[in-house]
Amino acid sequence: MAAAALVACARGSPSLASRRAVSEILDSLDRCEAIDTRAANNLFNRFTSGICNQPGKGRATAFRAVSAVSGDAESAQLLLRICRAVGRADGGSSARESALIEEISAVLNAPAPAVFDGTIISRDGKGPRPFFITIGNEKGGTGKSTTAMHLAVALLRFGYRVGSVDLDGRQGTLSRYLLNRGALAKTAGREIPMPVHRRIEPSEAADRDVAAREETARLHEAFAELADRQIVVIDTPGSDSHLSRLGHSHADMLITPINDTLLDIDILAHIDPNKREVRAPSAYCEMVWEQSERRVSSGGKPIDWIVMRNRLTHINAHNKREIGRLLDRLAKRIGFRLASGFGERIIYHELFLTGLTVLDLSDDRLRGWNNVSLSHARQEISDLLLAIGVPETEVAERRL
């Protein structure tokens, strides 16, 4: 995990592709039955965080860990093949990644392999499957659909084949957003990047078990139709329901948007009002843990959980700092990563009826707003992409 983190951080924050490569490599090492995939992924996140936040100290710590297998030829070669696979995950090793692999090779006192001699496939042996990003929170009004829409469009503009699933079929905010987008494209007489979308309606069956089976079948049918997508973004209801739990159970990555208030932190944990300390994890937190454990027990990967601070404002700085301190403690105790989200900007609300995102407004033929907050909103999208690990190469940034 230390070696993989070094290579994954060669270009900056580890990309989504490199994170997926690490998880799939762990899945492919079936002969190493003693591997705890959840612990391994946590180690990877710890090493990458150290390297990104304190490059000198973080790299030194990772290299010390790598040196533990120096002199073990078999382990060294396996380690170097894994490094090569992580380096090639973004479409080919860069000069920095190649140099890091050579540096790791020197520490191990072993020659670096020229290529990775194997194909990483999904656990069932049927080839790659989509990477599922679930946007989840059992509280409404936190910006889940806005996040899902902007994330899907950003990934499309990066060149990914993207699908989207609306599990909040009754409310259908994401589905209506995409309908508005399609209508604008038709009116404008031009193509606008669109994900392949599926809307899942809740079952109307009175029997709970029958309803659950119907909803599960509908979701699996949608996934089958999206099998050729590289990434599928799933928007979930703002309540505890069978469909919401299904969406969380399939999450390779879970993004939980929360408003930056003490009230919204309650969705993660119960806080002592006097001491401002954590009393106990919330019901939602326990549900996420449960779904992650089920994935691991069935041979999958643990959920990579990101909590996204939405509707950040410049006022009440003391309260914002206090919330930041609480979330930092919760992140360590509960097991999620923190990311900055979207500010309280009118532009996000205005764009819904047109179906556009702040990324579309960079196209002069679609420009309809002259909003001073546009550049800040675009930066917020860019920061989110970096947090989840989308490759931040210069070419990708220009394309975005």
Side-chain angles (χ1 to χ4, degrees), residues 335-385:
F336 57 76
R337 297 188 286 130
L338 277 171
S340 296
F342 303 159
E344 184 58 68
R345 305 187 190 282
I346 299 299
I347 191 169
Y348 289 122
H349 306 290
E350 289 180 339
L351 290 174
F352 170 77
L353 290 177
T354 67
L356 295 177
T357 71
V358 297
L359 304 178
D360 298 306
L361 300 186
S362 62
D363 189 326
D364 290 336
R365 288 168 293 180
L366 294 175
R367 190 184 302 276
W369 286 263
N370 183 18
N371 196 307
V372 294
S373 68
L374 179 57
S375 61
H376 294 291
R378 287 183 189 148
Q379 185 59 51
E380 289 167 354
I381 306 299
S382 180
D383 290 343
L384 174 61
L385 295 174

Side-chain angles (χ1 to χ4, degrees), residues 255-290:
I255 300 177
T256 299
I258 64 168
N259 295 329
D260 211 49
T261 67
L262 291 171
L263 176 63
D264 281 70
I265 289 181
D266 191 65
I267 195 69
L268 301 173
H270 305 307
I271 307 297
D272 186 305
N274 297 318
K275 298 181 180 180
R276 300 297 174 93
E277 294 177 352
V278 180
R279 283 179 172 173
S282 67
Y284 176 72
C285 177
E286 291 179 345
M287 185 273 285
V288 173
W289 285 346
E290 178 185 351

Side-chain angles (χ1 to χ4, degrees), residues 209-225:
D209 292 336
V210 173
R213 286 196 295 271
E214 287 183 359
E215 291 170 352
T216 301
R218 292 173 186 177
L219 183 59
H220 287 170
E221 182 180 353
F223 284 165
E225 294 169 349

Side-chain angles (χ1 to χ4, degrees), residues 66-80 107-111:
V66 168
S67 66
V69 294
S70 177
D72 183 339
E74 183 179 357
S75 296
Q77 284 301 311
L78 176 61
L79 188 64
L80 289 167
V107 169
L108 294 172
N109 194 26

Side-chain angles (χ1 to χ4, degrees), residues 148-162:
M149 183 67 174
H150 279 78
L151 181 57
V153 171
L155 292 168
L156 284 166
R157 289 188 174 276
F158 265 89
Y160 288 100
R161 298 191 308 276
V162 181

Side-chain angles (χ1 to χ4, degrees), residues 101 116 363 377 391:
I101 293 173
F116 181 71
D363 189 326

